[in-house]
Every structure is written in structure tokens, then in C-alpha cells.
């Protein structure tokens, strides 16, 4: 349980800064800063804490708490919901465990439910709860791996059940009759890693939690929600969006922190005109080899398994055999025993360097390291901080971000304050998206008739949707389920379309995941290279009838990019405001896409190897968009074609590349369209839309933060050293036009004029 003990850590082998000083002297260093050490602020263990819990803490050497842990305990004690949003390794776990353990010890009937996004995390938590050894606490994991014969026993015996949202959704709530006693006595619901529940997944989980609240109420309980999240801009909003209730924010981090050096590392520019840079993998392997060669324990996070393997191999090549033998890759699928073995070897200093995909960051707790290298921005500041949080727990640490050529990475290299000081990134979700909500209204009606009173837990929107959900029937008792099987099983939590395509590994028969209908044709068309948990697959066949993509493991050195034609139609503007000198709109649009071809591109340099035509039907989906029509004076001098289109198109791409900084999503979650003449507006128009049917709040966030978003984009374009546009500013890896018609200077002119009108 990291960060629990307030005793100074034993064996504080001080790390000498001089050991890496000379390493950080090259021209690649884009920014260097030192985050100062911080003294911890402690508070006494509260007198009200039960003796059994107090003794358990004492056995672990904990005689005091951090101030924020005591604050969380106090806030939970007064009966409300809380969200703890302090830094990595700040003892968040103890903050929510204390009130729970206390309550379970005081009342032998009381029950608690812990939700974890991954099985590995649930296992880690179960282990540390067991190690804590409070006799009255009977913790058990209940997930897809739990044998049927054990399940009954757990429901009856355990007073602390750890599970995941999927199991709660299909295994627990629909069978609430089996959980009656548990629900009746449910006092606490813990939602750890709450920032993970965003976008489509978060929108579903928000509904699952509302269904849980409703059933608990039916069985006579009102559980308190205790959430823990990485540091984000909108913790209170996230708690409210996820649970439907207010929560007290506990954010004043009182844990001590060692000094940490932060380095932003930009691979050297090889061709300034084209914006071409040296490989981030090569730079990372050099840093890893150098740091490990100096005896510093280092973890390196890469975006894909292939990259992690290459970094490991390149680093080994740079070292003598004895040192190279002390580097290891860290892979998905390791058992808890194997993970602990790696942890032990690191702690004992037998291992010096570990390379991992960032898909694993949540499941890793490998203790005290000196250095952490992130290769490519992992997508969110929260993830990056989580990766960096591994460095320097035993003394002065070093955290490095090695930039990829991606626009957001390059923006951070030039605007380090946007990464290190501003907290703008907000986790967003929308439980009321009808594409998400309808399935949960059906599931709720299956669980118990839905009537007006349920608006208090399920939300008013659920009642509004009920008449639109097929297979629901209105009865005097409320809306009831009139279909056959339990509807929850038909509602996947990671997709907004119930008719998503299954992605199946033909070599093993395993289902790897789902591709939403509106994206299947561009991501899993025949011949596409598909990335899953950092591994590459080649799509052998896309079966439109069976709604299935058959893939096989793939080791080639090319990737694919779909060429598609896109149209948007404005269905309904919801908000129209005068912003930045023009009319800015947010509303509902329908998007029609047709994938017409794909290109094979070399991993090494992005060169086009082949273009293959495809014959696929068009798909249409409804979503939310933000759009604007520039005023004539903002387009002055850009009116000629194709300059006009190229300027709008480049502006659209660069805007999309920076929206994830504000909206905590992936650029693949966002779509765009720019046109010199749109049928609905009758004018040149730029659309940025939510890539998920129904929308999950991404475009809405762009509308709210438009001024800051545009200002960031101006800085991105203005600062990029390329001459005419490059992958680090206006080119997009997912452009349906394959990055044709892009004018960087025109986009900069337009966006600067807009920004100046604000
Ligand atoms: Zn550029
Ligand atoms: Zn494009």
C-alpha cells in the first residue's frame, strides 16, 4: 500500500544528481526543471478509529496519517461522498480504506463494494487489504475468473467485494435477488482510478453506478461513494457525472515528495523543412542504456509492444553483456507471481532497467525507481504523471518525456508550461447520450419496474428515454422489460453501438475487442493493420453480415491509413454564441463516411508503399459537433481556391490535435470536416465532431473552452519549425484525404485573426 507509512524510508541511498547531469546536456534537451522536495504534513490517527484498525496500522508502522488522509476520513465520517485527487503514491488507498475498514469493523452486517478497471489492480488491492490484517474484514474478488462454486460462498461470506464495472453490469445487478442481503447492507462503494471512467466507457459506467444506487435504494440502503482519481481539472464534476451525486473534493496533497528533475527531450531535427526528426525509440534506448549503465534503476514506457521490444533491444546493444542482462521487458499477461518476481529483482538491484507498454501502467507497482522515461506523450497528463510517479520515490528522481513527432508532443516541447503547470485536462463523459442510456434503461427495467421515483437515481433523462426503448412496456407498476434475455448482456460498456463488430484473432479464436460500427470500416477493413494493447494484427477479412473482423498477429513494418469521403449535415444547433469574432455553434450533426481506399505506409519513414481501393457501403451516425463560419475579414487574402480549402483543412487538423489537452481523450476519438462551401451554412465552415455516436462531451468541451483551445493552436502553428506543414503541426495520421490540401500559413493567418478578435 504505497505511501502509507510516514516513517522515513529505510535505505535512502541518495542518488547523486551529478550522475545524470552530463547526460542531460545535449541539444535534445528542450526543457529542464526541478520540482522541489516537499515536506509531508501529518495528522494524528483519529481517536474515533476502531482499535482493530488502529492496531492494524500500528503493525504496518503507521503512527500518523497524512493530513489529506485524515481529511478524507473526516469527510466520509460526516456521511457524504468524497473524491480524493492527490498525486501518485500519496496514500489515496488508505484515504478511502480507513472509513470502510472502520465501518466494517463497527458493524458486522455492513458491506462495501470496490470497483477496479482491471483485474490486476483488484488483485493488488485485495492483497494489501489482506496484509493489513483487520480480522473483521473479509475481502474477496468477484469477477469473470471466480469459479461458480465460489460465487455463492463469496456473496454470503465477504463483507468487502472487489469487482469491475463489467461484472457489476452483467453479473451482479441483473441478479440482484442473489445479492439482496449485500445490497441491503451496502454502506460504501469505492471507485478507484476514477479518471479512467471517461468517454464512452465512463458514460456507460456512470449508468451502471446509477443502476446500483437505485437497486441499493430498493433494498433499503444509500451507499456513500468514495472515489479516487489522478489529478485532473474537474474532479468534483467527474464525481457528479459518474455517480449522479455531489462529492467533497479532497485535493490538498500532504504526502512528502522527493526532489524530481523533469526533462523534456526532443529527438534532433534531421530535416527542418520537412519537420523530420530522429527516432524517439533510438533516443529512448540511448537514455535507458546510459542511465542503467550508471546503476540507476529505470523504467521506460512505450506506446506499443513493438516499440518496447525495440527500445529494449537497442539499449542492450549499447551495453556490455553483463549490464544488458540486467534489463528486462515487462509484458501484459504476467501472473501476480511473475510481477512480484520482477519487483523483487528491481528492489534488490538485480534488475536495472524495465521496458513496458503504457497499457500496463495501471497494473504496475514496482516500487522505488530512480528514473522514468516516457516515450511519446501517453495521451493524458494524468497518465504521464502516473508514469513519472515511479521515479524518485527513494530520493531525487529523474523523469523524462521523449517526444514523438506528434503535434501535441511537439507543442509540449515548445510550451513546457502547458504540460507542467496548467491543469486544464478534464475527464468528460455523458451518461445521457441516448446511444448509451437506452441499453441501461432496458437493463434497469429488467432489474425492477422503472417509475417516476427512479428519476432521483437514474436521472430524469432515463424516464424520458423509456418510451423510446423497444421491448419496454408501460404497466401500472412502471416500465417493465417485455423481452426475452437479460438486456445487460447486449450492452457492451466500451461501445456506443450495440451492433459493433467483433474483432477476433483467427489464430486463437480470442475476441480482442469491439469496433464500433461507425469506425469499423476505417479501422478493421480488409488489409488494415490493427493495434490492440500495443500488439499489431492484420485484418484478413471483414465480414459485414456476421459483423466480425478476422485478424491475425502481424509482424510487418507498415501501418495502414484509410482514405474516406466525409459529409456532415447540421441536424440541430443547440447553442450559438458570438465568440472570437464569429458565430460559434454547438449542436447535433449527422456524419456520413465512406471508406474508399487505404494506403500502406512504412513505419520507418511514413513513405507510401501502396494504395488499395476498397468497396464498402457508406455509414451514417448522429453525434455532437462544434462548428464555425469564419467572417469575410478573417479570410481576407485566403479566398482563392484551393488556398481557402487548404487553410480551413489545416486549421481543422491542428485544432483536433490539441483538443485532447482540454478534453482528456484521444485524437482518434475526434473527427473533423472542413469545406469551402457547406450546404447548411452556405459558407466556408469547419466542423470538429465527437467520433462516437451520440457524443460523449468532447465537442461540448471544445465549445466551452474555444478561446483557450484556439490560442493553443495558434502557438502550435506559429512555433513549428517546418516550412510548409509537417506531422508535428498540420498533418494528421487519420486524415481521410491522406493529408492533401493543407496550408499551414493560411491556417495560422485565420486562427491568429480569430484569436485577436477575442
Ligand atoms: Zn510543422
Ligand atoms: Zn484531413
Amino acid at each position: 500500500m504505497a505511501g502509507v507509512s510516514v516513517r522515513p524510508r529505510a535505505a535512502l541511498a541518495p542518488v547523486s544528481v551529478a550522475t545524470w547531469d552530463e547526460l542531460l546536456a545535449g541539444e535534445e534537451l528542450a526543457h529542464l526543471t526541478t520540482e522541489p522536495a516537499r515536506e509531508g504534513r501529518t495528522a494524528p490517527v483519529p481517536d474515533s478509529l476502531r482499535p482493530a484498525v488502529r492496531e492494524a496500522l500500528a503493525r504496518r508502522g503507521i503512527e500518523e496519517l497524512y493530513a489529506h488522509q485524515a481529511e478524507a476520513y473526516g469527510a466520509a465520517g460526516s456521511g457524504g461522498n468524497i473524491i480524493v485527487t492527490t498525486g501518485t503514491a500519496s496514500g489515496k488507498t488508505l484515504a478511502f480504506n480507513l472509513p470502510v475498514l472502520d465501518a466494517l469493523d463497527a458493524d458486522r452486517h455492513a458491506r462495501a463494494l470496490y470497483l477496479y478497471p482491471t483485474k490486476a489492480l483488484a488483485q493488488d488491492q485485495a492483497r494489501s487489504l489482506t496484509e493489513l490484517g483487520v480480522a473483521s474484514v473479509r475481502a474477496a474478488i468477484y469477477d469473470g475468473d471466480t469459479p461458480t462454486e465460489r460465487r455463492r460462498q463469496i456473496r454470503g461470506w465477504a463483507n468487502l467485494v472487489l469487482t469491475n464495472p463489467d461484472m457489476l453490469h452483467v453479473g451482479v445487478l441483473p441478479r440482484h435477488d442473489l445479492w439482496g442481503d449485500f445490497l441491503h447492507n451496502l454502506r460504501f462503494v469505492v471507485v478507484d482510478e476514477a479518471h479512467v471512467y471517461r468517454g464512452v466507457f465512463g458514460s456507460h459506467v456512470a449508468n451502471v453506478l446509477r443502476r446500483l444506487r437505485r437497486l441499493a435504494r430498493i433494498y433499503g440502503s444509500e451507499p456513500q461513494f468514495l472515489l479516487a482519481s489522478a489529478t485532473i481539472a474537474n474532479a468534483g464534476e467527474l464525481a457528479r457525472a459518474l455517480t449522479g451525486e455531489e462529492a467533497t473534493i479532497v485535493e490538498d496533497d500532504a504526502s512528502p515528495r522527493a526532489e524530481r528533475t523533469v526533462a523534456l527531450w526532443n529527438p534532433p531535427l534531421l530535416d527542418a523543412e520537412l519537420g523530420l526528426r530522429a527516432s524517439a525509440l533510438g533516443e529512448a534506448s540511448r537514455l535507458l542504456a546510459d542511465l542503467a549503465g550508471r546503476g540507476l534503476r529505470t523504467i521506460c514506457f512505450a506506446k506499443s509492444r513493438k516499440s518496447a521490444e525495440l527500445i529494449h533491444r537497442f539499449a542492450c546493444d549499447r551495453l556490455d553483456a553483463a549490464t544488458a542482462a540486467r534489463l528486462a521487458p515487462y509484458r501484459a499477461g504476467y501472473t501476480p507471481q511473475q510481477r512480484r518476481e520482477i519487483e523483487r529483482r528491481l528492489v534488490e538491484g538485480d534488475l536495472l532497467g524495465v521496458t513496458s507498454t503504457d497499457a500496463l501502467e495501471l497494473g504496475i507497482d514496482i516500487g522505488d525507481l530512480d528514473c522514468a522515461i516516457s516515450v511519446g506523450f501517453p495521451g493524458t497528463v494524468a497518465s504521464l504523471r502516473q508514469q513519472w510517479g515511479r521515479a524518485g520515490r527513494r530520493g531525487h528522481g529523474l523523469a523524462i518525456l521523449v517526444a514523438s513527432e506528434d503535434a501535441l508532443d511537439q507543442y509540449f516541447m515548445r510550451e513546457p508550461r502547458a504540460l507542467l503547470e496548467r491543469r486544464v485536462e478534464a475527464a468528460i463523459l455523458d451518461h445521457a447520450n441516448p446511444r448509451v442510456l437506452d441499453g441501461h434503461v432496458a437493463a434497469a427495467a429488467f432489474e425492477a419496474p422503472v417509475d417516476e421515483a427512479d428519476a432521483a437515481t437514474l436521472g430524469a433523462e432515463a424516464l424520458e428515454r423509456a418510451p423510446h426503448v423497444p421491448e419496454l412496456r408501460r404497466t401500472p407498476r412502471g416500465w417493465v422489460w417485455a423481452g426475452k434475455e437479460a438486456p445487460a448482456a447486449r450492452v457492451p460498456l466500451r461501445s456506443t453501438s450495440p451492433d459493433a463488430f467483433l474483432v477476433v484473432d483467427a489464430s486463437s479464436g480470442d475476441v480482442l475487442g469491439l469496433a464500433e460500427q461507425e469506425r469499423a470500416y476505417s479501422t478493421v477493413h480488409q488489409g488494415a493493420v490493427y493495434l490492440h494493447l500495443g500488439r499489431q494484427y492484420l485484418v484478413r477479412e471483414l465480414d459485414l453480415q456476421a459483423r466480425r473482423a478476422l485478424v491475425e498477429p502481424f509482424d510487418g513494418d507498415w501501418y495502414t491509413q484509410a482514405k474516406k469521403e466525409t459529409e456532415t449535415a447540421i441536424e440541430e444547433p443547440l447553442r450559438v454564441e458570438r465568440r472570437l469574432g464569429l458565430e460559434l455553434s454547438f449542436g447535433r450533426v449527422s456524419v456520413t463516411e465512406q471508406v474508399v481506399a487505404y494506403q500502406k505506409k512504412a513505419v520507418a519513414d511514413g513513405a507510401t508503399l501502396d494504395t488499395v481501393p476498397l468497396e464498402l457501403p457508406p455509414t451514417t451516425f448522429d453525434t455532437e459537433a462544434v462548428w464555425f463560419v469564419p467572417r469575410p475579414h478573417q479570410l481576407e487574402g485566403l479566398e482563392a481556391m484551393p488556398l481557402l480549402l487548404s487553410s480551413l483543412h489545416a486549421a481543422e487538423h491542428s485544432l483536433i490535435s490539441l483538443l485532447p489537452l482540454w478534453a482528456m481523450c484521444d485524437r482518434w476519438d475526434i473527427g473533423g470536416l472542413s469545406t469551402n462551401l457547406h450546404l447548411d451554412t452556405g459558407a466556408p465552415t469547419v466542423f470538429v465532431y465527437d467520433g462516437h455516436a451520440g457524443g460523449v462531451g468532447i465537442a461540448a468541451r471544445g465549445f466551452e473552452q474555444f478561446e483557450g483551445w484556439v490560442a493553443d493552436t495558434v502557438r502550435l502553428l506559429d512555433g513549428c519549425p517546418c516550412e510548409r506543414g509537417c506531422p508535428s503541426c498540420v498533418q494528421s495520421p487519420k486524415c481521410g484525404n491522406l493529408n492533401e490540401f493543407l496550408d499551414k500559413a493560411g491556417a495560422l493567418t485565420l486562427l491568429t485573426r480569430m484569436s485577436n478578435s477575442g
Side-chain angles (χ1 to χ4, degrees), residues 649-650 652-653 656 672-674 730 732 734-742:
H649 189 201
E652 170 216 318
H653 278 191
I656 289 175
L673 175 93
S674 30
V730 299
S732 159
K734 50 165 296 203
C735 176
N737 292 322
L738 306 172
N739 288 310
E740 283 166 21
F741 296 108
L742 290 169

Side-chain angles (χ1 to χ4, degrees), residues 139-309:
I141 294 176
Y142 192 97
D143 63 20
D145 296 341
T146 311
T148 316
E149 62 275 16
R150 277 275 292 151
R151 294 188 174 186
R152 217 179 101 146
Q153 190 204 351
I154 290 172
R155 289 194 297 265
W157 169 82
N159 58 358
L160 194 164
V161 170
L162 302 107
T163 187
N164 53 59
D166 306 84
M167 192 63 182
L168 182 59
H169 168 56
V170 295
V172 176
L173 299 179
R175 301 306 316 273
H176 57 87
D177 50 322
L178 302 177
W179 293 82
D181 184 55
F182 191 91
L183 288 168
H184 175 65
N185 292 294
L186 186 58
R187 287 282 302 281
F188 288 106
V189 178
V190 166
V191 182
D192 202 356
E193 306 285 352
H195 60 281
V196 170
Y197 304 121
R198 60 178 187 268
V200 174
F201 187 35
S203 304
H204 277 289
V205 171
N207 280 295
V208 173
L209 293 178
R210 282 165 171 78
R211 280 162 50 207
L212 171 63
R213 276 181 52 218
R214 181 177 83 119
L215 285 177
R217 190 174 276 196
I218 289 173
Y219 282 90
S221 69
E222 292 278 344
Q224 282 174 255
F225 284 80
L226 311 178
L227 298 90
S229 158
T231 47
I232 48 174
N234 65 335
E237 213 179 290
L238 175 64
R240 189 162 54 241
L242 272 175
T243 67
E245 295 189 311
E246 297 296 322
T248 302
I249 305 170
V250 176
E251 60 183 345
D252 195 2
D253 193 337
S255 63
R257 193 174 61 188
E259 199 174 4
R260 180 179 299 153
T261 295
V262 171
L264 304 188
W265 193 264
N266 205 0
L269 203 53
L270 300 179
D271 184 329
E273 203 176 318
L274 300 175
L276 188 69
R277 291 184 179 275
S279 143
L281 304 189
E283 291 294 304
S285 64
R286 183 157 70 83
L287 290 165
L288 172 61
D290 278 352
L291 293 168
R294 286 155 209 250
L296 295 166
R297 293 173 216 179
T298 304
I299 185 159
C300 186
F301 292 98
K303 287 217 172 170
S304 71
R305 182 163 168 167
K306 183 115 196 157
S307 316
E309 278 165 6

Side-chain angles (χ1 to χ4, degrees), residues 393-733:
R393 288 201 204 163
R394 63 173 181 147
H396 193 145
L398 172 64
I400 306 177
L401 171 63
V402 179
S404 76
E405 66 172 10
D406 188 80
L408 195 49
D409 287 43
Q410 290 301 319
Y411 179 69
F412 288 144
M413 293 298 120
R414 296 191 301 273
E415 305 281 342
R417 294 183 55 188
L419 178 66
L420 303 174
E421 289 168 32
R422 288 192 336 196
R423 196 198 281 185
V424 294
E425 187 176 65
I428 47 174
L429 57 96
D430 180 9
H431 83 278
N433 171 345
R435 298 285 294 257
V436 171
L437 179 57
D438 287 8
H440 294 280
V441 174
F446 172 85
E447 286 150 11
V450 172
D451 62 23
E452 293 299 324
D454 292 318
T457 46
L458 297 177
E461 302 90 345
L463 273 298
E464 285 160 24
R465 289 305 303 168
H468 305 282
V469 179
E471 299 175 288
L472 286 198
R473 190 167 301 147
R474 193 197 284 273
T475 72
R477 294 184 302 140
W479 294 95
V480 297
W481 174 248
K484 290 201 181 72
E485 297 103 47
R490 296 195 322 220
V491 181
L493 296 188
R494 287 162 185 82
S495 159
T496 55
S497 49
D499 44 5
F501 283 68
L502 280 182
V503 182
V504 180
D505 183 346
S507 65
S508 64
D510 290 343
V511 174
L512 300 178
L514 289 168
E516 291 174 337
Q517 153 119 33
E518 57 272 15
R519 297 210 236 187
Y521 297 160
S522 54
T523 54
V524 290
H525 58 77
Q526 189 168 344
V529 174
Y530 172 79
L531 207 63
H532 174 71
L533 284 182
R535 301 189 66 170
Q536 295 190 110
Y537 297 85
L538 185 68
V539 179
R540 271 195 354 210
E541 187 196 343
L542 178 65
D543 185 336
L544 303 187
Q545 248 60 53
R547 315 194 74 74
R548 194 177 55 180
L550 278 181
V551 305
E552 59 194 13
F554 173 68
D555 207 30
D557 47 9
W558 78 81
Y559 63 97
T560 53
Q561 186 172 1
K563 179 171 164 62
K564 63 188 176 189
E565 283 157 11
T566 306
E567 281 170 30
T568 57
I570 297 171
E571 299 293 336
E572 187 188 6
L574 298 171
R575 294 173 70 182
V576 181
E577 287 173 13
R578 183 105 188 146
R579 307 265 291 274
L580 295 186
L582 48 72
E583 200 167 81
L584 180 70
S585 304
F586 166 75
R588 282 202 287 275
V589 298
S590 72
V591 176
T592 303
E593 291 179 341
Q594 183 160 25
V595 177
V596 293
Y598 71 95
Q599 285 194 332
K600 287 187 192 176
K601 301 193 140 197
V603 171
D605 57 3
T608 302
L609 306 173
D610 197 6
T611 303
V612 185
L614 287 169
E615 269 188 46
L616 287 165
T619 53
T620 299
F621 65 100
D622 291 327
T623 187
E624 293 173 341
V626 55
W627 68 91
F628 59 88
V629 175
R631 306 275 298 159
H633 69 272
Q634 293 171 324
L635 288 173
E636 201 184 313
L638 306 174
E639 300 95 339
M641 281 293 283
L643 175 60
L644 175 59
L645 178 62
S646 301
S647 304
L648 298 172
H649 189 201
E652 170 216 318
H653 278 191
S654 51
L655 282 166
I656 289 175
S657 72
L658 283 193
L659 189 50
L661 176 60
W662 295 85
M664 209 167 176
C665 61
D666 197 282
R667 85 187 276 164
W668 298 88
D669 294 324
I670 315 169
L673 175 93
S674 30
T675 168
N676 51 305
L677 179 62
H678 192 266
L679 282 179
D680 294 326
T681 63
T685 313
V686 174
F687 289 84
V688 174
Y689 56 83
D690 215 306
H692 300 279
V696 292
I698 296 169
R701 175 88 180 155
F703 181 83
E704 283 155 22
Q705 304 292 332
F706 192 60
E707 287 78 9
W709 177 28
V710 171
D712 276 347
T713 311
V714 168
R715 276 192 289 274
L716 164 76
L717 292 176
D718 195 32
C720 191
C722 72
E723 210 147 293
R724 290 208 194 88
C726 73
S728 305
C729 56
V730 299
Q731 292 174 14
S732 159

